[in-house]
């Protein structure tokens, strides 16, 4: 009987392996057949495959870049700039959406009926309007702002016109600022990997980032020049500071308003799952409503908020592709233009897919790391 059972298990295992092998072979055959068919069609059209085109100059420019650019840039540099633009826009929108979403979600959880109504109206309005519609609306509003000479100003240090948003910035080159940003993100990930409290991790991250910025300012800012560059109107344009183009501002506003409405619902749902007994215990101890929220409700709710919050972060990063509708130079727009100019369809689509797979996989791993750090440990 035992021998028959063992033989049956062995037969089932062999059958599973054979099925898996057949599936793998079938997938490989389909991929190879697709590749050879595409190569045949491209050769018939006189298009040479491969990535040699990356070394050619593009001959065209675009609206926004964190790094210096020119029409003589190669496709490789142009695609790299598009990738950096996508990372910059997505990261900024993730931070702003998360902060605003937590504020709106927390307001929806309050007992104040007026605040609840306002927060609910916000969620229903921005969540139920298509994102592309919101983007086009804000872009149409911003391009009809006054010109630079009549720009809206805040204390004569920030200006908003139909040319974009001008803000004060550290007097560092784009390359140095980008290195600082990437270093700060890397430091944050390293700190998360270390088994220390969240508060201590935040202190280490903030201190390390501040020290790195101070060192770069001492090394790269020439003597006699100001540490902070403030924009100033010179003729018909602003010089100095940091310029955020109208396309970038419209993208940030549309994505943040849209995604924060979803994040607010995630936060509200997480706060609603906190056991009422814990809240009543805090009230019995005489804790204030603010203390109960910060020391009891939020820490408990975060354990159910983080997983769906990670899905929203990935959505925000993918939502950056709608910038092609208004000409924002993210990776998707750069790839689309390059595809039209070169005809290297397979190569450029592969680059686009690989970049987004890399970004979203890294985000998923980061969320998983945060989630593991927040789980209660059994002793």
């Amino acid at each position: 009987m035992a021998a028959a059972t063992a033989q049956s298990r062995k037969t089932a295992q062999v059958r599973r392996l054979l099925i898996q092998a057949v599936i793998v072979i079938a997938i490989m055959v389909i991929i190879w057949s697709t590749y050879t068919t595409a190569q045949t069609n491209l050769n018939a059209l006189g298009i040479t495959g491969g990535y040699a085109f990356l070394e050619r100059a593009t001959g065209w420019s675009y609206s926004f870049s964190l790094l210096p650019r020119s029409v003589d840039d190669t496709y490789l540099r142009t695609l790299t700039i598009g990738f950096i633009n996508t990372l910059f826009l997505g990261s900024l929108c993730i931070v702003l959406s998360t902060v605003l979403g937590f504020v709106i979600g927390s307001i929806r959880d309050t007992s104040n009926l007026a605040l609840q109504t306002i927060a609910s109206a916000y969620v229903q309005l921005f969540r139920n309007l298509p994102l592309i519609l919101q983007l086009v609306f804000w872009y149409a509003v911003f391009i009809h702002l006054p010109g630079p000479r009549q720009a809206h100003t805040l204390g004569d240090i920030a200006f908003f016109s139909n040319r974009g948003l001008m803000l004060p910035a550290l007097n560092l080159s784009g390359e140095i600022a980008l290195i600082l940003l990437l270093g700060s993100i890397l430091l944050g990930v390293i700190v998360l990997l270390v088994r220390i409290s969240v508060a201590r991790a935040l202190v280490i991250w903030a201190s390390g980032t501040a020290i790195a910025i101070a060192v770069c300012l001492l090394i790269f800012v020439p003597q006699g020049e100001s540490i902070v560059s403030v924009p100033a109107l010179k003729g018909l344009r602003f010089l100095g500071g940091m310029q955020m183009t109208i396309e970038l501002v419209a993208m940030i506003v549309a994505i943040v308003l849209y995604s924060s409405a979803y994040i607010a619902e995630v936060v509200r749902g997480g706060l609603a799952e906190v056991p009422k007994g814990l809240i009543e215990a805090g009230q019995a101890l005489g804790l204030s409503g603010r203390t109960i929220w910060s020391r009891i409700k939020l820490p408990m709710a975060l354990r159910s908020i983080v997983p769906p919050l990670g899905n929203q972060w990935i959505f925000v990063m993918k939502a950056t592709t709608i910038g092609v509708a208004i000409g924002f130079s993210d990776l998707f727009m750069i790839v689309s233009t390059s595809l039209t100019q070169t005809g290297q369809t397979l190569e450029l689509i592969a680059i686009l897919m690989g970049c987004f797979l890399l970004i979203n996989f890294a985000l998923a791993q980061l969320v998983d790391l945060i989630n593991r750090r927040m789980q209660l440990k059994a002793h």
Side-chain angles (χ1 to χ4, degrees), residues 93-293:
C93 288
I94 284 173
V95 173
L96 296 177
S97 300
T98 303
V99 173
L100 184 57
F102 266 83
V103 172
I104 300 299
S106 300
I107 291 175
R108 292 204 69 188
D109 188 62
T110 63
S111 57
N112 189 307
L113 183 59
L115 291 177
Q116 277 189 8
T117 303
I118 294 172
S120 298
Y122 174 92
V123 170
Q124 296 303 323
L125 174 64
F126 291 109
R127 191 176 62 168
N128 292 303
L129 288 175
L131 178 56
I132 188 68
L133 177 61
Q134 296 187 43
L135 174 62
V136 173
F137 170 79
W138 289 115
Y139 182 66
V141 170
F142 294 154
I143 61 176
H144 287 89
L145 289 171
R149 289 187 175 181
Q150 294 81 34
H152 300 290
T153 179
L154 179 62
D156 289 332
I157 59 173
F159 303 88
F160 194 22
S161 70
N162 58 11
R163 298 287 183 87
L165 180 62
M166 301 297 300
L167 298 171
L170 295 175
N171 198 3
L172 296 172
S173 65
E175 292 88 345
I176 300 300
L178 181 61
I179 292 173
L180 281 174
L181 177 61
L182 295 177
S184 178
I185 295 173
L186 179 61
L187 177 61
V189 173
I190 293 173
V191 169
L192 281 174
L193 293 172
V194 181
R195 295 290 179 177
I196 56 178
S197 66
V198 176
R200 190 175 178 184
L202 286 174
V203 170
I204 294 175
W205 172 78
S207 301
T209 302
I211 292 172
I213 292 174
V215 170
C216 288
L217 289 173
L218 289 173
I219 295 174
F220 296 105
V221 176
Q223 289 186 346
E225 291 192 13
S226 175
I227 294 177
V228 177
S229 175
V230 179
L233 182 63
K234 302 292 184 182
L236 296 177
R237 61 175 183 158
F238 289 97
L239 297 178
M242 177 182 67
Q243 180 180 10
M244 301 176 68
T245 63
I246 284 296
E247 293 82 8
L248 176 59
V249 176
M251 288 285 292
I252 292 172
V253 172
I255 294 176
V256 168
L257 292 178
Y258 184 79
S259 58
S260 63
Y262 281 90
I263 292 176
E265 285 297 277
V266 171
V267 173
R268 183 189 63 83
L271 292 172
E273 291 182 6
V274 177
K276 292 184 178 179
L278 294 176
I279 301 172
E280 293 171 352
Q283 293 171 342
L285 292 172
L287 301 178
S288 65
R290 182 179 300 177
T291 304
I292 290 175
W293 183 87

Side-chain angles (χ1 to χ4, degrees), residues 310 314 358-370 372:
I314 292 174
L358 176 64
I359 294 172
N360 291 330
F361 179 76
L363 265 179
Q365 294 302 308
L366 177 61
V367 172
D368 183 60
L369 174 62
I370 296 173
R372 290 201 307 268

